C-alpha cells in the first residue's frame, strides 16, 4: 500500500465522481463565501491535478451530476426556489470549457459508445432519449434501455448504535487501536484490507478518522480526517478498483493504492 496522490484545493470539495473507464476523477469545488462553483480533473495514473476552473456558466445552484466519455455533466437550476434540475450542460475534460447546454433535459445515466440517456417532460409524461455526449445531439427516443456504463465504485456501509453489528465492530477497533465509544463506524472491505472510518466526540465536535487494517489485524494506516465539525455528514470515502479515495478537512483530495 502506498500514498498514491494528495492535493489540497483552496475551495471546498463538494462532490467527487470517477470516470467509468479511465483513472480520472472529477471534483466539484465551491467557494462558500463568494458563492462560486467550479470543478477540477485529477489524473491518478499521472498523480496530478490536470486543471481546475470556475466557469462563468456555473452559478451557486449548479451541480455536477455525471462523468463519462470526454465530458463532465452539470445540472442547472433555473428556478432556485424549486429543487428540481431544469437543464443539462456538458463540459470538456480537456480544459473544462463548456461544450453544450440542453434546455429542459436532465441526465439519467451514461451508456456505452459515448452516448447518454436524458429525460424531458412531454405531454403524456416523461420522455427518454438517447443523446450524443460529445455534441448534445439527439440520436433517438427510446423506451428500450441500452447497457449502462459500470463505474465499479464502492461506498462504505455505515453502522450506528442501532445496528446489531455495531458493538462487535466497536470492540474490534478498540482492541487494535484503543478507541472508546465511537458514534458510528463506516466499513469497507477490500481483501486483504479492511477499511474503517470512525467518528468520535471531542468537546461537542465530531472528529473523523480513517484506519486500514490487514486480515492479520495489522494497522497499516491511521489518520485523522477532520479537525472537528458539528455533525457526522455523509461518508467521504470511495473505492474504485484498488484506489481508495478519501476527503480530508473538506478541501484535500487523497488517494491510497490498496495493493496486495
Amino acid at each position: 500500500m502506498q500514498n498514491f496522490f494528495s492535493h489540497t484545493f483552496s475551495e471546498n470539495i463538494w462532490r467527487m465522481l470517477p470516470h467509468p473507464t479511465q483513472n480520472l476523477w472529477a471534483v466539484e469545488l465551491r467557494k462558500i463565501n463568494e458563492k462560486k462553483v467550479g470543478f477540477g480533473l485529477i489524473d491518478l495514473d499521472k498523480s496530478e491535478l490536470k486543471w481546475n476552473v470556475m466557469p462563468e456558466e456555473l452559478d451557486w445552484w449548479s451541480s455536477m451530476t455525471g462523468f463519462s466519455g470526454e465530458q463532465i455533466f452539470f445540472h442547472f437550476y433555473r428556478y432556485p426556489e424549486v429543487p428540481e434540475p431544469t437543464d443539462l450542460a456538458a463540459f470538456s475534460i480537456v480544459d473544462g470549457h463548456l461544450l453544450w447546454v440542453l434546455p429542459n433535459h436532465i441526465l439519467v445515466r451514461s451508456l456505452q459508445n459515448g452516448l447518454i440517456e436524458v429525460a424531458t417532460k412531454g405531454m403524456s409524461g416523461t420522455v427518454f432519449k438517447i443523446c450524443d455526449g460529445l455534441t448534445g445531439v439527439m440520436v433517438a427516443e427510446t423506451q428500450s434501455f441500452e447497457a449502462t456504463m459500470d463505474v465499479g465504485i464502492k461506498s462504505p456501509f455505515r453502522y450506528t448504535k442501532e445496528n446489531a453489528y455495531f458493538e462487535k465492530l466497536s470492540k474490534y477497533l478498540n482492541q487494535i487501536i484503543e478507541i472508546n465509544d465511537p458514534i458510528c463506524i463506516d466499513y469497507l472491505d477490500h481483501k486483504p484490507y479492511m477499511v474503517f472510518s470512525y467518528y468520535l466526540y471531542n468537546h461537542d465536535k465530531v472528529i473523523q478518522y480513517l484506519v486500514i487494517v490487514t486480515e492479520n489485524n495489522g494497522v497499516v494506516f491511521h489518520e485523522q480526517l477532520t479537525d472537528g465539525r458539528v455533525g457526522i455528514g455523509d461518508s467521504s470515502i470511495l473505492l474504485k478498483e484498488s484506489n481508495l479515495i478519501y476527503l480530508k478537512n473538506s478541501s484535500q483530495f487523497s488517494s491510497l493504492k490498496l495493493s496486495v
Side-chain angles (χ1 to χ4, degrees):
M1 189 178 71
Q2 59 184 344
N3 195 340
F4 191 55
F5 177 78
S6 182
H7 180 83
T8 300
F9 293 91
S10 59
E11 307 87 358
N12 283 357
I13 297 174
W14 216 255
R15 193 177 186 191
M16 305 178 292
L17 291 178
H19 193 281
T21 61
Q22 303 179 53
N23 204 8
L24 302 172
W25 285 77
V27 182
E28 182 180 330
L29 305 168
R30 291 182 179 250
K31 291 185 177 180
I32 306 298
N33 294 334
E34 301 176 35
K35 297 292 185 181
K36 290 184 177 181
V37 177
F39 58 105
L41 183 68
I42 291 171
D43 186 338
L44 289 185
D45 282 338
K46 296 182 179 179
S47 298
E48 67 178 13
L49 171 69
K50 302 290 287 185
W51 47 260
N52 65 299
V53 293
M54 288 267 169
E56 61 181 14
E57 294 89 359
L58 298 180
D59 61 27
W60 186 249
W61 310 106
S62 306
S63 62
M64 188 170 65
T65 189
F67 182 25
S68 65
E70 301 295 312
Q71 304 83 42
I72 299 171
F73 300 101
F74 272 78
H75 277 152
F76 292 166
Y77 293 73
R78 267 181 275 159
Y79 314 107
E81 66 277 6
V82 180
E84 291 184 4
T86 55
D87 311 307
L88 177 64
F91 293 82
S92 171
I93 67 171
V94 175
D95 55 11
H97 73 270
L98 179 67
L99 293 172
W100 50 261
V101 177
L102 195 58
N104 303 312
H105 288 76
I106 63 172
L107 178 68
V108 177
R109 58 180 177 163
S110 296
L111 305 172
Q112 302 288 349
N113 302 318
L115 301 177
I116 59 173
E117 184 180 18
V118 298
T120 187
K121 292 181 180 179
M123 295 295 292
S124 58
T126 302
V127 178
F128 295 92
K129 303 176 182 179
I130 302 300
C131 177
D132 186 318
L134 181 61
T135 64
V137 174
M138 296 297 174
V139 176
E141 284 193 13
T142 180
Q143 293 297 332
S144 61
F145 300 109
E146 301 183 20
T148 305
M149 296 286 280
D150 183 12
V151 177
I153 195 167
K154 293 173 63 177
S155 300
F157 184 85
R158 174 159 292 176
Y159 293 87
T160 63
K161 293 184 179 180
E162 292 74 25
N163 189 283
Y165 292 98
F166 176 81
E167 185 175 354
K168 182 178 180 180
L169 287 177
S170 180
K171 287 182 177 179
Y172 173 73
L173 287 176
N174 188 42
Q175 288 174 354
I176 60 174
I177 54 176
E178 297 182 358
I179 65 167
N180 291 306
D181 198 24
I183 306 166
C184 67
I185 301 170
D186 297 334
Y187 174 70
L188 192 60
D189 181 68
H190 184 73
K191 297 186 182 304
Y193 300 102
M194 295 176 287
V195 180
F196 299 90
S197 178
Y198 63 92
Y199 303 77
L200 303 175
Y201 275 126
N202 183 20
H203 302 296
D204 297 326
K205 296 288 186 178
V206 176
I207 311 294
Q208 180 187 5
Y209 297 84
L210 175 64
V211 60
I212 302 174
V213 185
T214 67
E215 292 178 327
N216 297 323
N217 300 327
V219 178
V220 294
F221 184 85
H222 191 192
E223 186 171 329
Q224 182 177 325
L225 299 188
T226 60
D227 293 330
R229 57 191 184 194
V230 176
I232 296 175
D234 296 331
S235 175
S236 55
I237 297 171
L238 298 169
L239 181 70
K240 185 174 186 289
E241 298 174 348
S242 60
N243 291 317
L244 182 70
I245 310 299
Y246 61 96
L247 179 61
K248 186 175 180 180
N249 286 329
S250 301
S251 60
Q252 181 177 315
F253 176 102
S254 297
S255 169
L256 286 172
K257 187 81 167 182
L258 298 180
S259 55
V260 178

